[in-house]
Amino acid sequence: MKYVYKQNQLVLFKYTIAKDIIFSGEGIICGVVNTGAAVVGVSYIVKPTKLTGDVTFPSEEYPFECLAIFELFLTPAPNIVV
């Protein structure tokens, strides 16, 4: 299996449902949840480093630091040159 993303790679994510953005931000790939589904691809474990909107992690409702996000919702973070 060839994975699109590697451990510790910085990615951007935008999780949407019916074209509405639920949350978005950037994070670091920590691992793989599964090896892929036909439409949405591999599911990666992502530790968010930035979040947009009213979403915070961890919280009382979701007491974890990482998220499982399908590769459909991920893009590589652009290289930042300082």
Coordinates of all heavy atoms in Angstrom, one line a residue:
M1 N 0.8 -1.2 0.0 CA 0.0 0.0 0.0 C 0.9 1.2 0.0 O 1.8 1.4 0.8 CB -0.9 0.0 1.3 CG -1.7 1.2 1.5 SD -3.3 1.0 0.7 CE -3.7 2.6 0.3
K2 N 0.6 2.1 -0.9 CA 1.4 3.4 -1.0 C 0.5 4.5 -0.3 O -0.7 4.7 -0.7 CB 1.7 3.8 -2.4 CG 2.5 5.0 -2.5 CD 2.9 5.4 -3.9 CE 3.7 6.6 -3.9 NZ 4.1 7.1 -5.2
Y3 N 1.0 5.1 0.7 CA 0.3 6.2 1.4 C 0.7 7.5 0.8 O 1.8 7.8 0.4 CB 0.6 6.2 2.9 CG 0.2 4.9 3.6 CD1 1.1 3.9 3.9 CD2 -1.1 4.6 3.8 CE1 0.7 2.8 4.5 CE2 -1.5 3.5 4.4 CZ -0.6 2.5 4.8 OH -1.0 1.4 5.4
V4 N -0.3 8.4 0.7 CA -0.1 9.8 0.2 C 0.7 10.6 1.2 O 1.5 11.4 0.8 CB -1.5 10.4 -0.1 CG1 -1.3 11.9 -0.5 CG2 -2.3 9.6 -1.1
Y5 N 0.4 10.4 2.5 CA 1.1 11.3 3.5 C 2.0 10.4 4.4 O 1.8 9.2 4.5 CB 0.0 12.0 4.4 CG -0.9 12.8 3.5 CD1 -2.2 12.4 3.2 CD2 -0.5 14.1 3.1 CE1 -3.0 13.2 2.4 CE2 -1.3 14.9 2.3 CZ -2.5 14.4 2.0 OH -3.3 15.2 1.2
K6 N 2.9 11.1 5.0 CA 3.9 10.4 5.9 C 3.8 10.9 7.3 O 3.3 12.0 7.5 CB 5.3 10.6 5.4 CG 5.6 10.1 4.0 CD 7.0 10.3 3.5 CE 7.1 9.5 2.2 NZ 7.9 10.1 1.2
Q7 N 4.3 10.1 8.2 CA 4.2 10.5 9.6 C 5.0 11.8 9.8 O 6.0 12.0 9.2 CB 4.8 9.4 10.5 CG 4.7 9.7 12.0 CD 5.0 8.5 12.8 OE1 5.3 7.4 12.3 NE2 5.0 8.7 14.1
N8 N 4.5 12.7 10.6 CA 5.0 14.0 11.0 C 4.9 15.0 9.8 O 5.4 16.1 9.9 CB 6.5 13.9 11.4 CG 6.6 13.1 12.7 OD1 5.8 13.3 13.6 ND2 7.6 12.3 12.8
Q9 N 4.2 14.7 8.7 CA 3.9 15.6 7.6 C 2.9 16.6 8.0 O 1.8 16.2 8.6 CB 3.5 14.9 6.4 CG 3.3 15.8 5.2 CD 3.0 15.0 3.9 OE1 3.1 13.8 3.9 NE2 2.7 15.7 2.9
L10 N 3.1 17.9 7.7 CA 2.1 18.9 8.0 C 1.1 18.9 6.9 O 1.4 18.9 5.7 CB 2.8 20.3 8.1 CG 1.9 21.4 8.5 CD1 1.4 21.2 9.9 CD2 2.7 22.7 8.5
V11 N -0.2 18.9 7.3 CA -1.3 18.9 6.3 C -2.4 19.9 6.7 O -2.4 20.4 7.8 CB -2.0 17.5 6.2 CG1 -1.1 16.5 5.7 CG2 -2.5 17.1 7.6
L12 N -3.1 20.3 5.7 CA -4.3 21.1 5.9 C -5.5 20.2 5.8 O -5.5 19.3 5.0 CB -4.4 22.2 4.8 CG -3.2 23.1 4.7 CD1 -3.4 24.1 3.5 CD2 -2.9 23.9 5.9
F13 N -6.5 20.5 6.6 CA -7.8 19.7 6.5 C -9.0 20.6 6.5 O -9.0 21.7 7.0 CB -7.9 18.7 7.6 CG -7.8 19.2 9.0 CD1 -8.9 19.7 9.7 CD2 -6.6 19.3 9.7 CE1 -8.8 20.2 10.9 CE2 -6.5 19.7 11.0 CZ -7.6 20.2 11.6
K14 N -10.0 20.2 5.8 CA -11.3 20.9 5.7 C -12.3 19.8 5.7 O -12.5 19.1 4.8 CB -11.4 21.7 4.5 CG -12.6 22.6 4.4 CD -12.7 23.4 3.1 CE -11.6 24.4 3.0 NZ -11.7 25.2 1.8
Y15 N -13.0 19.6 6.9 CA -14.0 18.6 7.0 C -15.4 19.2 6.7 O -15.8 20.1 7.3 CB -14.0 18.0 8.4 CG -14.8 16.8 8.6 CD1 -14.4 15.5 8.1 CD2 -16.1 16.8 9.2 CE1 -15.2 14.4 8.3 CE2 -16.9 15.7 9.3 CZ -16.4 14.5 8.9 OH -17.2 13.4 9.0
T16 N -16.0 18.6 5.7 CA -17.3 19.2 5.2 C -18.4 18.1 5.2 O -18.1 16.9 5.0 CB -17.1 19.7 3.8 OG1 -16.7 18.7 2.9 CG2 -16.1 20.9 3.7
I17 N -19.6 18.6 5.4 CA -20.7 17.7 5.2 C -21.7 18.5 4.4 O -22.1 19.6 4.7 CB -21.4 17.3 6.6 CG1 -20.4 16.5 7.4 CG2 -22.7 16.6 6.4 CD1 -20.9 16.1 8.8
A18 N -22.1 17.9 3.3 CA -23.0 18.5 2.3 C -22.6 20.0 2.0 O -23.4 20.9 2.0 CB -24.5 18.6 2.9
K19 N -21.3 20.1 1.7 CA -20.7 21.4 1.3 C -20.6 22.4 2.4 O -20.1 23.5 2.1 CB -21.3 21.9 0.0 CG -21.2 21.0 -1.2 CD -21.8 21.7 -2.4 CE -21.7 20.7 -3.6 NZ -22.3 21.2 -4.8
D20 N -21.0 22.1 3.6 CA -20.8 23.0 4.7 C -19.6 22.6 5.5 O -19.4 21.5 5.8 CB -22.0 22.9 5.7 CG -23.3 23.4 5.1 OD1 -23.2 24.4 4.3 OD2 -24.4 22.9 5.4
I21 N -18.7 23.6 5.7 CA -17.5 23.4 6.4 C -17.8 23.2 7.9 O -18.4 24.1 8.5 CB -16.4 24.5 6.2 CG1 -16.1 24.6 4.8 CG2 -15.2 24.3 7.1 CD1 -15.2 25.8 4.4
I22 N -17.5 22.0 8.5 CA -17.7 21.8 9.9 C -16.6 22.3 10.7 O -16.8 23.0 11.7 CB -17.9 20.3 10.1 CG1 -19.1 19.7 9.2 CG2 -18.2 20.0 11.6 CD1 -20.4 20.4 9.4
F23 N -15.4 22.0 10.3 CA -14.2 22.5 10.9 C -13.0 22.4 9.9 O -13.0 21.6 9.0 CB -13.8 21.9 12.3 CG -13.6 20.5 12.2 CD1 -12.3 19.9 12.0 CD2 -14.6 19.6 12.5 CE1 -12.1 18.6 12.0 CE2 -14.4 18.2 12.5 CZ -13.1 17.7 12.2
S24 N -12.0 23.2 10.1 CA -10.8 23.1 9.2 C -9.6 23.6 10.0 O -9.7 24.1 11.2 CB -11.0 24.0 8.0 OG -11.2 25.4 8.4
G25 N -8.5 23.4 9.5 CA -7.2 23.8 10.1 C -6.0 23.2 9.6 O -6.0 22.8 8.4
E26 N -5.0 23.0 10.4 CA -3.8 22.3 9.9 C -3.4 21.4 11.1 O -3.7 21.6 12.2 CB -2.7 23.2 9.5 CG -2.0 24.0 10.6 CD -0.8 24.8 10.1 OE1 -1.0 25.4 9.0 OE2 0.2 24.9 10.8
G27 N -2.6 20.4 10.7 CA -2.2 19.4 11.7 C -1.1 18.6 11.2 O -0.6 18.7 10.1
I28 N -0.6 17.6 12.1 CA 0.5 16.8 11.8 C 0.0 15.3 11.7 O -0.8 14.9 12.6 CB 1.6 16.9 12.9 CG1 2.1 18.3 12.9 CG2 2.7 15.9 12.7 CD1 3.0 18.6 14.1
I29 N 0.4 14.6 10.7 CA 0.0 13.2 10.5 C 0.7 12.4 11.6 O 2.0 12.5 11.8 CB 0.5 12.6 9.1 CG1 -0.3 13.4 8.0 CG2 0.2 11.1 9.0 CD1 -1.7 13.1 7.9
C30 N 0.0 11.6 12.4 CA 0.5 10.8 13.4 C 0.5 9.3 13.1 O 1.2 8.5 13.7 CB -0.3 11.0 14.7 SG -0.2 12.6 15.4
G31 N -0.4 8.9 12.2 CA -0.5 7.5 11.8 C -1.6 7.2 10.9 O -2.2 8.2 10.4
V32 N -2.0 5.9 10.7 CA -3.0 5.5 9.8 C -4.1 4.8 10.6 O -3.8 3.9 11.5 CB -2.5 4.6 8.7 CG1 -3.6 4.0 7.8 CG2 -1.5 5.4 7.9
V33 N -5.4 5.0 10.3 CA -6.5 4.3 11.0 C -6.8 3.1 10.2 O -7.0 2.0 10.7 CB -7.7 5.2 11.1 CG1 -8.9 4.5 11.7 CG2 -7.4 6.5 12.0
N34 N -6.9 3.2 8.9 CA -7.2 2.1 8.0 C -6.5 2.2 6.7 O -6.0 3.3 6.4 CB -8.8 1.9 7.8 CG -9.4 3.1 7.1 OD1 -8.8 3.6 6.2 ND2 -10.6 3.4 7.5
T35 N -6.6 1.2 5.9 CA -5.8 1.3 4.6 C -6.6 1.8 3.4 O -6.1 1.7 2.3 CB -5.3 -0.1 4.3 OG1 -6.3 -1.1 4.2 CG2 -4.2 -0.6 5.3
G36 N -7.8 2.2 3.6 CA -8.5 2.9 2.6 C -9.9 2.4 2.3 O -10.2 1.2 2.5
A37 N -10.7 3.3 1.8 CA -12.1 3.0 1.3 C -12.1 3.6 -0.1 O -11.5 4.6 -0.4 CB -13.1 3.7 2.3
A38 N -13.0 3.0 -0.9 CA -13.0 3.3 -2.3 C -13.2 4.8 -2.6 O -12.4 5.3 -3.5 CB -14.2 2.6 -3.0
V39 N -14.0 5.5 -2.0 CA -14.3 6.9 -2.3 C -13.5 7.9 -1.5 O -13.0 8.9 -2.1 CB -15.8 7.2 -2.2 CG1 -16.1 8.7 -2.5 CG2 -16.6 6.3 -3.1
V40 N -13.3 7.7 -0.2 CA -12.7 8.6 0.7 C -11.2 8.4 0.9 O -10.6 9.2 1.5 CB -13.5 8.7 2.0 CG1 -14.9 9.3 1.8 CG2 -13.6 7.4 2.7
G41 N -10.7 7.2 0.6 CA -9.3 6.9 0.7 C -8.9 6.5 2.1 O -9.7 6.1 2.9
V42 N -7.6 6.6 2.4 CA -7.0 6.2 3.7 C -7.5 7.1 4.7 O -7.6 8.3 4.5 CB -5.5 6.2 3.6 CG1 -4.9 5.9 4.9 CG2 -5.0 5.1 2.6
S43 N -7.7 6.6 5.9 CA -8.0 7.5 7.1 C -6.8 7.7 7.9 O -6.2 6.7 8.3 CB -9.1 6.9 7.9 OG -9.5 7.7 9.0
Y44 N -6.4 8.9 8.1 CA -5.1 9.2 8.9 C -5.5 9.8 10.3 O -6.5 10.4 10.5 CB -4.3 10.3 8.1 CG -3.7 9.8 6.8 CD1 -4.4 9.9 5.6 CD2 -2.4 9.2 6.8 CE1 -3.8 9.4 4.5 CE2 -1.9 8.8 5.7 CZ -2.6 8.9 4.5 OH -2.0 8.4 3.3
I45 N -4.6 9.5 11.2 CA -4.6 10.1 12.5 C -3.9 11.5 12.4 O -2.8 11.5 12.1 CB -4.0 9.3 13.6 CG1 -4.7 7.9 13.6 CG2 -4.0 9.9 15.0 CD1 -3.9 6.9 14.4
V46 N -4.6 12.6 12.7 CA -4.1 13.9 12.6 C -4.1 14.6 14.0 O -5.2 14.6 14.6 CB -4.8 14.7 11.6 CG1 -4.3 16.2 11.5 CG2 -4.8 14.1 10.2
K47 N -3.0 15.2 14.4 CA -3.0 16.0 15.6 C -3.1 17.5 15.2 O -2.1 18.0 14.6 CB -1.8 15.8 16.4 CG -1.8 16.5 17.7 CD -0.6 16.2 18.6 CE -0.8 16.9 20.0 NZ 0.3 16.5 20.9
P48 N -4.2 18.1 15.4 CA -4.4 19.5 15.0 C -3.4 20.5 15.7 O -3.1 20.3 16.8 CB -5.8 19.9 15.4 CG -6.5 18.6 15.5 CD -5.5 17.6 16.0
T49 N -2.8 21.4 14.9 CA -2.0 22.4 15.4 C -2.7 23.8 15.3 O -2.3 24.7 16.1 CB -0.6 22.5 14.6 OG1 -0.9 22.7 13.3 CG2 0.2 21.2 14.9
K50 N -3.6 23.9 14.4 CA -4.4 25.1 14.3 C -5.8 24.7 13.9 O -6.0 23.8 13.1 CB -3.9 26.0 13.2 CG -2.6 26.7 13.5 CD -2.3 27.7 12.3 CE -1.0 28.3 12.4 NZ -0.6 29.1 11.3
L51 N -6.8 25.3 14.5 CA -8.2 25.1 14.1 C -8.9 26.4 13.8 O -8.6 27.4 14.4 CB -9.0 24.4 15.3 CG -8.6 22.9 15.6 CD1 -9.2 22.5 16.9 CD2 -9.0 22.0 14.4
T52 N -9.9 26.3 12.9 CA -10.7 27.5 12.6 C -12.1 27.2 13.1 O -12.6 26.1 13.2 CB -10.7 27.8 11.1 OG1 -11.2 26.7 10.4 CG2 -9.3 28.2 10.6
G53 N -12.8 28.3 13.3 CA -14.2 28.1 13.8 C -14.3 28.0 15.3 O -13.4 28.3 16.0
D54 N -15.5 27.4 15.7 CA -15.8 27.3 17.1 C -15.4 25.9 17.7 O -15.9 25.6 18.7 CB -17.3 27.6 17.4 CG -17.7 29.0 17.0 OD1 -16.8 29.9 17.1 OD2 -18.8 29.2 16.6
V55 N -14.6 25.2 17.0 CA -14.2 23.8 17.4 C -12.9 23.9 18.3 O -12.0 24.5 17.9 CB -14.0 22.9 16.2 CG1 -13.6 21.6 16.6 CG2 -15.3 22.9 15.4
T56 N -12.9 23.2 19.4 CA -11.7 23.0 20.2 C -11.5 21.6 20.6 O -12.5 20.8 20.8 CB -11.8 23.9 21.5 OG1 -12.9 23.5 22.2 CG2 -11.9 25.4 21.2
F57 N -10.3 21.2 20.6 CA -9.9 19.8 21.0 C -8.7 19.9 22.0 O -7.8 20.7 21.8 CB -9.4 19.0 19.8 CG -10.5 18.8 18.8 CD1 -10.5 19.5 17.6 CD2 -11.4 17.8 18.9 CE1 -11.4 19.3 16.6 CE2 -12.4 17.6 18.0 CZ -12.4 18.4 16.8
P58 N -8.7 19.1 23.0 CA -9.8 18.3 23.5 C -10.9 19.1 24.1 O -10.6 20.3 24.5 CB -9.1 17.4 24.5 CG -7.8 18.0 24.9 CD -7.5 19.0 23.8
S59 N -12.0 18.5 24.3 CA -13.1 19.2 25.0 C -13.9 18.1 25.8 O -13.5 17.0 25.8 CB -14.1 19.7 23.9 OG -14.7 18.7 23.2
E60 N -14.9 18.6 26.5 CA -15.6 17.6 27.4 C -16.3 16.6 26.5 O -16.4 15.4 26.8 CB -16.7 18.4 28.2 CG -17.4 17.6 29.2 CD -18.3 18.4 30.1 OE1 -17.8 19.4 30.6 OE2 -19.4 18.0 30.3
E61 N -16.8 17.0 25.3 CA -17.5 16.1 24.4 C -16.6 15.2 23.7 O -16.9 14.1 23.3 CB -18.3 16.9 23.4 CG -19.5 17.7 24.0 CD -19.0 19.0 24.5 OE1 -18.0 19.5 24.1 OE2 -19.7 19.6 25.4
Y62 N -15.3 15.7 23.4 CA -14.3 14.9 22.7 C -13.0 15.0 23.4 O -12.2 15.9 23.0 CB -14.3 15.4 21.2 CG -13.4 14.5 20.3 CD1 -13.9 13.3 19.7 CD2 -12.1 14.8 20.1 CE1 -13.2 12.5 18.9 CE2 -11.3 14.0 19.3 CZ -11.8 12.9 18.7 OH -11.1 12.1 17.9
P63 N -12.7 14.2 24.3 CA -11.5 14.4 25.2 C -10.2 13.8 24.6 O -9.4 13.2 25.3 CB -11.9 13.6 26.5 CG -12.8 12.5 26.0 CD -13.6 13.1 24.8
F64 N -10.0 13.9 23.3 CA -8.9 13.4 22.7 C -8.1 14.5 21.9 O -8.7 15.5 21.5 CB -9.2 12.3 21.7 CG -10.1 11.2 22.3 CD1 -11.4 11.2 22.1 CD2 -9.5 10.3 23.0 CE1 -12.2 10.2 22.7 CE2 -10.3 9.3 23.6 CZ -11.6 9.3 23.4
E65 N -6.8 14.4 21.7 CA -6.0 15.4 21.1 C -5.9 15.2 19.6 O -5.5 16.1 18.8 CB -4.6 15.4 21.6 CG -4.5 15.9 23.0 CD -3.1 15.9 23.6 OE1 -2.2 15.4 22.9 OE2 -2.9 16.4 24.7
C66 N -6.2 14.0 19.1 CA -6.1 13.7 17.7 C -7.5 13.3 17.0 O -8.4 13.0 17.7 CB -5.2 12.5 17.5 SG -3.5 12.8 18.0
L67 N -7.5 13.4 15.7 CA -8.7 13.2 14.9 C -8.4 12.1 13.9 O -7.2 12.0 13.4 CB -9.2 14.4 14.2 CG -9.4 15.7 15.0 CD1 -9.6 16.9 14.2 CD2 -10.7 15.4 15.9
A68 N -9.4 11.4 13.4 CA -9.2 10.5 12.3 C -9.9 11.2 11.1 O -11.1 11.6 11.2 CB -9.9 9.2 12.5
I69 N -9.1 11.5 10.1 CA -9.6 12.2 8.9 C -9.3 11.5 7.6 O -8.1 11.1 7.4 CB -9.0 13.7 8.9 CG1 -9.3 14.4 10.2 CG2 -9.5 14.4 7.7 CD1 -8.7 15.8 10.3
F70 N -10.3 11.3 6.8 CA -10.0 10.6 5.5 C -9.2 11.5 4.6 O -9.3 12.8 4.7 CB -11.3 10.3 4.8 CG -12.1 9.2 5.4 CD1 -13.3 9.4 6.1 CD2 -11.6 7.9 5.3 CE1 -14.0 8.3 6.7 CE2 -12.3 6.8 5.9 CZ -13.5 7.1 6.6
E71 N -8.4 10.9 3.7 CA -7.5 11.7 2.9 C -8.3 12.6 1.9 O -7.7 13.6 1.4 CB -6.5 10.8 2.1 CG -7.1 9.9 1.1 CD -6.0 9.1 0.4 OE1 -5.0 9.7 -0.2 OE2 -6.1 7.9 0.6
L72 N -9.5 12.3 1.7 CA -10.4 13.2 0.9 C -10.4 14.6 1.4 O -10.5 15.6 0.7 CB -11.8 12.6 0.8 CG -12.9 13.4 0.2 CD1 -12.7 13.5 -1.3 CD2 -14.3 12.8 0.5
F73 N -10.3 14.7 2.8 CA -10.4 16.0 3.4 C -9.1 16.6 3.7 O -9.0 17.7 4.4 CB -11.2 15.9 4.7 CG -12.6 15.4 4.5 CD1 -13.0 14.1 5.0 CD2 -13.6 16.1 3.8 CE1 -14.3 13.6 4.8 CE2 -14.8 15.6 3.6 CZ -15.2 14.4 4.1
L74 N -8.0 16.0 3.3 CA -6.6 16.5 3.5 C -5.9 17.0 2.3 O -6.2 16.5 1.2 CB -5.7 15.4 4.1 CG -6.2 14.7 5.4 CD1 -5.3 13.5 5.7 CD2 -6.0 15.7 6.5
T75 N -5.1 18.0 2.5 CA -4.2 18.5 1.4 C -2.8 18.8 2.1 O -2.7 19.1 3.2 CB -4.7 19.8 0.7 OG1 -4.9 20.8 1.7 CG2 -6.0 19.5 0.0
P76 N -1.7 18.6 1.3 CA -0.4 18.9 1.9 C -0.3 20.4 2.2 O -0.8 21.2 1.4 CB 0.6 18.5 0.7 CG -0.2 17.7 -0.2 CD -1.6 18.1 -0.1
A77 N 0.3 20.7 3.3 CA 0.5 22.1 3.6 C 1.6 22.7 2.7 O 2.5 22.0 2.4 CB 1.0 22.2 5.1
P78 N 1.4 23.9 2.3 CA 2.4 24.5 1.4 C 3.7 24.7 2.1 O 3.7 24.9 3.3 CB 1.8 25.8 1.0 CG 0.8 26.1 2.0 CD 0.3 24.8 2.6
N79 N 4.8 24.6 1.4 CA 6.1 24.8 2.0 C 6.2 26.3 2.3 O 5.9 27.1 1.5 CB 7.2 24.5 1.0 CG 7.3 23.0 0.8 OD1 6.9 22.2 1.6 ND2 7.8 22.6 -0.4
I80 N 6.6 26.6 3.5 CA 6.8 28.0 4.0 C 8.2 28.3 4.0 O 9.1 27.7 4.6 CB 6.2 28.1 5.4 CG1 4.7 27.7 5.4 CG2 6.4 29.5 5.9 CD1 4.1 27.6 6.8
V81 N 8.5 29.4 3.2 CA 9.9 29.8 3.2 C 10.0 31.1 4.0 O 9.2 32.1 3.8 CB 10.3 30.1 1.7 CG1 11.7 30.7 1.6 CG2 10.2 28.9 0.9
V82 N 11.0 31.2 4.9 CA 11.1 32.3 5.8 C 12.3 33.1 5.3 O 13.3 32.7 4.9 CB 11.3 31.9 7.2 CG1 11.5 33.1 8.1 CG2 10.2 31.0 7.7

